[in-house]
Amino acid sequence: MAAAEEASRPFAGLSDVSISEDIPVEGDISVPVGSTRRDDEFSTLDEPVKETILRDLRAVGTKFVHVLYPKRSSALLRDWDLWGPLLLCVTLALLLQGGAAEGDDQGGPQFAEVFVIVWFGSIVITLNSKLLGGTISFFQSLCVLGYCIMPLTVAMAVCRIVLIGGSGKVSFAVRLAVVTASFGWSTFASTAFLADSQPPNRKALVVYPVFLFYFVIGWMILTFSPSQ
Amino acid sequence: MSAGSGGRNTNTEPWGSFDDNLIPGSSSAVIDMENMDDTSGSSFEDMGEMHQRMKEEEEVAAEAAATEDDTVDDGEFLGMKGLKGQLGRQVADEVWQAGKRQASRAFNLYANIDILRPYFDVEPVQVRSRLIESMIPIRMINFPQKIAGELYGPLMLVFTLVAILLHGMKTSGTVIREGTLMGTAIGTCFGYWLGVSSFIYFLAYLVNAQITMLQMLSLLGYGLFGHCAVLLITYNIHFHFLFYILWLLVGGLSTLRMVAALLSRTVGQTPRVLLCGTLSVLHMLFLLYLHFAYHKIVEGLLDTLEGPNMAPMQRVARNVPELTLNATMGTLGASLKVH
């Protein structure tokens, strides 16, 4: 009560203005005490950095395993993170560097090109699945699509190794087989996670852009040829 | 904003006007808001800061309440000044809150993807049937034909065209100077779809044809199905003759379908000719462009393999089977360039 009176003292001279003193106070009161409460709940601020990093790495690793053996589990969806997709995207883009240069301009896809394709492709697919009535959230979908690039990244590594041995017909056939297999694996893995969130009769509408997306990435991998 | 600088009070407005001559002797027209009297309360950006400071000032004033009892006159004067300051600040604060509420409402309204949701409300069977129908022209032109207003099919077709274009560019070894393969493909396809749709819609608006932008986008998007099919075949089977036949047949069918739909919605001879002529020319030429710009046919590959003595910057038709791509790139790459 006393505090209220003291608080209303600056308004003391307002008696001849049509503002009464018992106006209900409106607005936000930003009280900066929330952070300490959050710290009490999780208290991750005081742990050593190694533990934080290891926890994140373990989470990323579990998700990799889930992609390798795609079952209908919700682990990928429940605690989504974008570390894995970022790691995979950077690895893929780095592996696609050093392509055959015709002239001196550009041979293989540039780093930025791969990045943009992966992320904007994922965003477009996510928006599409949301517009078609999906129940998955934006970042969950990004997470799933990013993690399912892993088979294609592995295929890229295998292709590079195969290309060290030469770039003849046999190597092309091997690469074609590897890329096709990993492309099918990626598509299958992502649909295993995404399909549950869609109304049942529209699964094909959601799967097609995913198919196209991994097809473009697989195509980039297949047509990669190292510089002489 | 300086706090509590007091000083001169040249406020004439109830909300506290700008202080013009803060620097004595200068007649600059620039108003230095930083040295503003803090009773002006007209700097919206600092409202939050001022709120905080106001609370702190209130607390400070409450603590020093005992020592201010003797300055009644000043208190009243302070009250008056306080009146203008507090009132001004309150008004500005309310305006700021209202503005913030409006901005967030506008953002929720326009950045909401739910606006597009009704255009994606399709079933796979519908998409399939519309794809097939896009190749079948309907002869009824006296009554407006029904055009589906959906965006899923057209969008997917544009992306498919991008993928097919990439395939064609890769197998033909196109070199893009200023930009990337992907960027060019996306720019071409989306530019065509959005640009030509807008242009035809604009023409339709001029001649008062009964078609909406959404319907135009949808119509042209489904018309790209023919393009996708033709390019998919001719990027892999390199026969000039085959391409021309497919161009006329498939391209012609999808153009006829679009033209018939437009004809049924336009009144008058000249508008019909204008609209449909423009659309058919653009549509057919686009297919021609896609084929020849990103896929070159080489006649006599064996001859060029033996002697790379072609003049530089010479545009020669080239047929590049994919398996020999890597081997021939080194010799041909330098001499064949696009644009």
Side-chain angles (χ1 to χ4, degrees), chain B residues 58-319:
Chain B
E58 281 175 3
E59 287 165 26
V60 168
E63 281 172 21
T67 62
E68 287 184 3
D69 275 341
D70 47 352
T71 56
V72 171
D73 283 337
D74 281 343
E76 227 177 86
F77 179 67
L78 264 169
M80 283 305 289
K81 192 169 113 176
L83 157 72
K84 288 205 173 100
Q86 298 303 340
L87 180 56
R89 260 179 271 178
Q90 229 190 348
V91 167
D93 185 30
E94 276 171 28
V95 173
W96 185 68
Q97 294 282 355
K100 193 170 88 154
R101 246 178 284 126
Q102 265 195 328
S104 58
R105 235 184 293 142
F107 177 76
N108 285 337
L109 184 66
Y110 291 114
N112 201 358
I113 63 165
D114 281 336
I115 296 173
L116 294 174
R117 207 175 274 270
Y119 308 140
F120 281 75
D121 190 17
V122 285
E123 306 291 320
V125 243
Q126 283 179 311
V127 176
R128 197 182 57 216
S129 62
R130 281 175 194 161
L131 282 175
I132 298 174
E133 279 168 14
S134 75
M135 304 296 296
I136 304 173
I138 300 180
R139 298 186 63 182
M140 171 187 69
I141 59 174
N142 297 318
F143 194 74
Q145 289 180 17
K146 188 174 176 310
I147 302 177
E150 63 144 309
L151 287 179
Y152 173 82
L155 203 64
M156 288 305 127
L157 278 170
V158 173
F159 279 123
T160 312
L161 191 63
V162 169
I164 294 176
L165 216 63
L166 273 179
H167 168 50
M169 285 200 274
K170 273 288 185 181
T171 50
S172 75
T174 305
V175 173
I176 308 286
R177 283 200 170 270
E178 301 288 328
T180 62
L181 244 58
M182 193 71 194
T184 314
I186 289 184
T188 310
C189 297
F190 269 96
Y192 175 76
W193 182 48
L194 296 171
V196 171
S197 291
S198 318
F199 180 61
I200 301 288
Y201 174 68
F202 168 67
L203 285 181
Y205 171 76
L206 286 181
V207 304
N208 209 16
Q210 302 295 317
I211 193 165
T212 66
M213 182 66 183
L214 173 70
Q215 286 172 329
M216 192 59 227
L217 282 170
S218 179
L219 194 65
L220 194 65
Y222 274 114
L224 287 176
F225 177 58
H227 284 21
C228 286
V230 171
L231 290 173
L232 191 62
I233 297 174
T234 57
Y235 277 164
N236 293 310
I237 305 172
H238 317 291
F239 284 124
H240 241 60
F241 190 57
L242 178 69
F243 168 70
Y244 280 124
I245 296 221
L246 283 177
W247 176 62
L248 282 174
L249 213 67
V250 178
L253 274 178
S254 73
T255 312
L256 273 177
R257 157 112 185 129
M258 291 198 297
V259 158
L262 270 183
L263 275 178
S264 69
R265 287 162 176 261
T266 318
V267 178
Q269 200 60 21
T270 318
R272 280 179 163 183
V273 165
L274 172 72
L275 212 55
C276 303
T278 322
L279 181 61
S280 22
V281 160
L282 285 173
H283 202 64
M284 299 295 274
L285 282 184
F286 184 57
L287 185 53
L288 219 59
Y289 167 73
L290 284 181
H291 180 81
F292 285 111
Y294 299 118
H295 172 74
K296 300 178 295 182
I297 315 277
V298 167
E299 277 141 8
L301 178 64
L302 293 172
D303 299 335
T304 57
L305 270 181
E306 282 164 35
N309 47 5
M310 281 191 294
M313 305 304 286
Q314 179 187 5
R315 244 179 170 206
V316 179
R318 176 172 61 117
N319 191 354

Side-chain angles (χ1 to χ4, degrees), chain A residues 8-22:
Chain A
S8 68
R9 180 129 8 148
F11 295 93
L14 288 180
S15 50
D16 48 3
V17 184
S18 57
I19 293 182
S20 68
E21 285 184 5
D22 47 5

Side-chain angles (χ1 to χ4, degrees), chain B residues 1 15-16 36-44 47 50 85 88-89 92:
Chain B
M1 297 273 295
W15 50 265
M36 193 71 60
D37 204 283
D38 70 341
T39 57
S40 64
S42 56
S43 169
F44 291 148
M47 271 327 295
M50 287 186 71
R89 260 179 271 178

Side-chain angles (χ1 to χ4, degrees), chain A residues 6-7 9-11 13-14 16-17 19 23 26-30 102-110 113 117 124 127-128 130-134 163 167 169 172 175 201-206 208-209 212 215-216 219-220 222-225 228, chain B residues 52 54-55 58 61-62 65-66 69 79-80 82-83 86-87 90 97 100-101 113-114 116-117 120-124 127 152 155-157 159-160 163 166-167 170-171 173-177 179-183 322-323 325-326 329 333-334 337:
Chain A
E6 286 162 358
R9 180 129 8 148
F11 295 93
L14 288 180
D16 48 3
V17 184
I19 293 182
I23 273 188
E26 246 188 70
D28 304 322
I29 296 179
S30 51
E102 307 159 11
D104 40 34
D105 287 325
Q106 57 95 34
Q110 312 288 327
E113 200 176 350
I117 290 174
V124 165
L127 284 177
N128 175 59
K130 282 190 84 68
L131 284 168
L132 284 171
L163 279 169
S167 52
K169 272 192 177 179
F172 178 76
R175 281 186 293 134
N201 51 336
R202 293 198 185 170
K203 288 210 173 65
L205 297 183
V206 177
Y208 179 70
L212 212 57
F215 178 80
V216 168
W219 186 247
M220 277 199 302
L222 189 59
T223 57
F224 172 79
S225 53
Q228 307 324 47
Chain B
Q52 193 64 28
M54 196 169 81
K55 285 193 177 76
E58 281 175 3
D69 275 341
M80 283 305 289
L83 157 72
Q86 298 303 340
L87 180 56
Q90 229 190 348
Q97 294 282 355
K100 193 170 88 154
R101 246 178 284 126
I113 63 165
D114 281 336
L116 294 174
R117 207 175 274 270
F120 281 75
D121 190 17
V122 285
E123 306 291 320
V127 176
Y152 173 82
L155 203 64
M156 288 305 127
L157 278 170
F159 279 123
T160 312
L166 273 179
H167 168 50
K170 273 288 185 181
T171 50
T174 305
V175 173
I176 308 286
R177 283 200 170 270
T180 62
L181 244 58
M182 193 71 194
E322 191 186 321
L323 286 177
L325 181 69
N326 295 338
M329 264 311 103
K337 293 222 191 305

Side-chain angles (χ1 to χ4, degrees), chain A residues 18 31 42-44 47 65 68 72 80 82 89 104 110-112 119 122 153-154 158-159 164 172 186 199 203 217 219:
Chain A
S18 57
V31 178
F42 291 109
S43 44
T44 58
E47 64 179 11
V65 170
L68 281 178
R72 277 174 192 260
W80 57 268
L82 294 177
C89 184
D104 40 34
Q110 312 288 327
F111 186 91
W119 288 103
S122 307
T153 312
V154 169
V158 170
C159 282
I164 290 177
F172 178 76
S186 289
K203 288 210 173 65
I217 296 182
W219 186 247

